[in-house]
Amino acid sequence: MIVKYRNLLPLLVALLLAGCAAPKTAMVKQTSLLMGTVVEITVHHEDPATARKIINEAFAEGTRLQNLLSIYDKNSEISIINRKAGIEEVKVSGEVFSLIEDALSYSELTGGAFDITVGPLLELWGFTPLDAEKKAASRQRQMPDKSAMEKTLSLVGYRDVHLDRSRNTVKLAKRGMKIDLGAIAKGYVVDQMAAVLRAGGIRNALVNAGGDMCALAAPLGKKAWRVGIQDPHSSNSVIDVIGISNEAVATSGDYEKFFVINGKRFSHIIDPGTGYPASGLVSVTVIARTAMEADALSTALFVMGEEKGRELIKEMSGVRAIFFSQ
Ligand code: ADP
Ligand code: MG
């Protein structure tokens, strides 16, 4: 008997040592096209097969949400709300209701700089034409005339989005109003995809939707995920590198989506106060606790400008911003 135990001892010690050593993780990376953007998920995990399975679940969640929130899909809840503007209230899923509620709270927070009812202004400037005819017309890229601008501005205002929490209904008060979640949906979807990873037991991961990112914990042995901030003037160089873990980043800028009229560049971010594309900054990167918050705030700060933007986030916990001006 004694001899037997003595033989087992080295094995036991080896097992204990193995238990103490850091587990080896492999990096698994997958990409997919969602919301018009390449979405990349990077996971560090002991078991690559498990990682791949959970990543696929996260992409499935992204696809589901993309369809729910799109304004390009005529049957999405958002499209139905827009079609029924000024006509009747629409009962929506709890998820869409909460997202609209959150969007309206960012409008309150930012004094209206962030406003999901900018839809008619985006169409006036030719940004989200829904059908081919309108698309052709809007490509003319002319400055809108004063009366068209006044008429369109009368259809913009987050206070005209009426919510009834007890029944999950949304009503746009005036005919012709349109909501557009372009400045918040991507961040929200990224957060939800990260939540699927977390729920699947993944701890070390990064979800990146074209610069809107949500990070879980950093890879083992690393302090943070290193994220490059693109140089607004040159698409293949990085101007700064930041470290993030258990937080999120989003950037709004006029260097990727913009249009030119008479040689002047106009961004796709509209100042709901004036009806004109926001100008003054080249890009704003926001680091926040959630990608939804980073997404909404980066758009809002782009409209507000550096001075007012810094003032706004001064008191907000966990929020930082990097501004690039012209
Ligand atoms: P990107 O789409 O490049 O990530 P943003 O997150 O800043 O950039 O979102 C810009 C989009 O948000 C626009 O294409 C439009 O759909 C919408 N939008 C434009 N101006 C505003 C605004 N003032 N408030 C809310 N949404 C806006
Ligand atoms: Mg945004």
Side-chain angles (χ1 to χ4, degrees), residues 240-278:
D240 201 357
V241 176
I242 55 169
I244 55 164
S245 71
N246 295 310
E247 56 193 344
V249 186
T251 299
S252 287
D254 76 353
Y255 53 92
E256 266 177 0
K257 290 185 203 151
F258 61 87
F259 57 95
V260 176
I261 302 175
N262 297 336
K264 191 173 167 1
R265 190 153 139 162
F266 290 93
S267 90
H268 67 307
I269 298 169
I270 311 279
D271 180 344
T274 64
Y276 278 73

Side-chain angles (χ1 to χ4, degrees), residues 9 23 36 60 83 91 156 175 218 248 264 266-267 296:
L9 204 60
R83 255 199 318 277
K91 194 168 170 57
V156 175
R175 261 179 205 264
K264 191 173 167 1
F266 290 93
S267 90

Side-chain angles (χ1 to χ4, degrees), residues 281 301-302 304-312 323-325:
L281 289 168
L301 298 193
F302 193 89
M304 296 170 82
E306 180 161 359
E307 201 185 333
K308 283 190 181 153
R310 286 206 187 282
E311 190 60 31
L312 173 74
F323 293 84
F324 286 106
S325 34

Side-chain angles (χ1 to χ4, degrees), residues 44-62:
H44 289 248
H45 197 263
E46 297 87 11
D47 174 17
T50 304
R52 264 183 238 111
K53 180 178 155 279
I54 316 267
I55 289 174
N56 286 336
E57 286 172 13
F59 278 126
E61 173 70 350

